[in-house]
Amino acid sequence: MRKIVLAFVVGLAPCALVFAQDSGGGGHAPGAVKTKSQINAELDRSMSKLGIVAGQVTSVVDTGAGQIVVRRRQEGPNNASVHHDLTEIYNVVSGSGTFVTGGAIKNPQDRTAGITGGVSRHIEAGDFVVLPPGTPHWFSKIDGSITYVETRFANAK
């Protein structure tokens, strides 16, 4: 659990740069707020070039070194993914599904084919998932829909 919390805090560090900027008036910048209604409206309007397999997404903050987005995925086909250059942390805020990690992507040309040899886990609201670089991951089943906060940060080289 300590490693998960540490990874989450370290993951947020690049995004803190956005909030650390001086406001120019001698005080501190006011930070940023994105309301639940703004997030939901942006998710509802979001359309990926890949369609349902990529889900709907809205950005909360993007510093170039890291980003936080809210992503909603629906029941149906989903892409398996692997990122060799970054760590991802998911905080599930609503919904549930079966999430597969590890193993190998079955068919890189058809990522909806999923993962072979991974570990399947049921995840739900309140759960955290930490995906180190190079970890294949895929929703093999979504129970209606699932929404999660996704923090991504590049790894030190």
Side-chain angles (χ1 to χ4, degrees):
M1 183 62 170
R2 278 165 113 179
K3 287 183 180 180
I4 291 172
V5 171
L6 178 61
F8 183 69
V9 170
V10 169
L12 290 178
C15 299
L17 295 174
V18 170
F19 305 111
Q21 298 172 1
D22 184 30
S23 67
H28 290 282
V33 172
K34 192 168 226 182
T35 66
K36 180 179 176 180
S37 61
Q38 288 173 305
I39 290 169
N40 286 331
E42 290 175 13
L43 286 172
D44 290 343
R45 288 191 306 267
S46 174
M47 295 290 179
S48 168
K49 294 177 192 173
L50 299 176
I52 190 173
V53 298
Q56 298 159 295
V57 67
T58 182
S59 179
V60 176
V61 64
D62 189 344
T63 68
Q67 70 179 168
I68 299 174
V69 302
V70 178
R71 190 175 301 276
R72 181 181 350 166
R73 294 188 180 264
Q74 305 294 329
E75 188 172 19
N78 279 273
N79 275 339
S81 296
V82 62
H83 313 287
H84 296 285
D85 59 342
L86 56 87
T87 296
E88 287 184 313
I89 301 170
Y90 297 174
N91 176 8
V92 181
V93 294
S94 68
S96 63
T98 303
F99 196 61
V100 182
T101 58
I105 293 178
K106 285 183 187 178
N107 181 353
Q109 281 67 47
D110 177 13
R111 295 186 299 145
T112 62
I115 291 176
T116 183
V119 176
S120 293
R121 295 178 185 91
H122 185 265
I123 62 173
E124 60 188 22
D127 291 347
F128 274 81
V129 176
V130 178
L131 300 166
T135 304
H137 51 284
W138 173 59
F139 282 99
S140 62
K141 181 179 184 319
I142 294 176
D143 306 321
S145 71
I146 190 166
T147 302
Y148 53 96
V149 176
E150 177 183 289
T151 303
R152 288 181 164 194
F153 57 94
N155 299 302
K157 295 182 181 194

